[in-house]
Amino acid sequence: MRIHILMVILLGSLAFAGCSKGRSTDGLIEDLKSTHEEHRINAVRLLQQRKGDAPKVVPALIESLKDEHADIRWSAAIGLGYFGAEAKPAIPSLEKAQGDTDARVREAARVAISRIGGQK
């Protein structure tokens, strides 16, 4: 009986793990162009975790600093900071974001620049 229960738990765990794959990096980058704000915000927040894809993700997050919604700009700035030195190309855009109308975006840009290794 114990083996039967363990097998059910194991098979259930394997099935759950297989179903939790989620969107690819390319799919998330494509979502940043969606007309739906919730798709863009989910994508920008998930892309922050794709450090292995920095050459693709950093330019996409830089572009998201221009989004019309402050939450997306804020998340993009935070995400760029997570990439550290790999996000050096973002410094000019982050410096520009320090003049954003939203205070959260300005602060996130300042922090990102310091994490990337910029002067401000």
Side-chain angles (χ1 to χ4, degrees), residues 6-114:
L6 289 174
M7 289 298 288
V8 170
I9 292 171
L10 177 63
L11 290 174
S13 298
L14 290 172
F16 181 75
C19 293
S20 64
K21 284 190 177 175
R23 305 246 323 141
S24 69
T25 299
D26 291 332
L28 291 171
I29 290 171
E30 193 61 34
D31 285 351
L32 291 175
K33 301 171 189 165
S34 173
T35 58
H36 300 286
E37 179 185 0
E38 64 272 8
H39 293 167
R40 294 194 314 276
I41 199 148
N42 286 335
V44 78
R45 290 179 180 170
L46 289 172
L47 284 168
Q48 298 171 9
Q49 303 166 14
R50 306 291 174 101
K51 291 187 171 63
D53 289 330
K56 291 180 186 179
V57 174
V58 168
L61 293 179
I62 291 169
E63 190 62 29
S64 292
L65 289 172
K66 302 174 192 169
D67 197 276
E68 64 183 308
H69 294 283
D71 284 341
I72 295 168
R73 296 191 308 272
W74 176 57
S75 294
I78 290 170
L80 287 164
Y82 291 152
F83 283 89
E86 291 181 286
K88 276 215 184 270
I91 289 179
S93 296
L94 288 165
E95 287 173 341
K96 185 175 181 181
Q98 287 182 308
D100 196 276
T101 57
D102 189 291
R104 297 171 306 143
V105 175
R106 294 191 302 268
E107 178 63 13
R110 185 191 64 73
V111 171
I113 290 169
S114 70

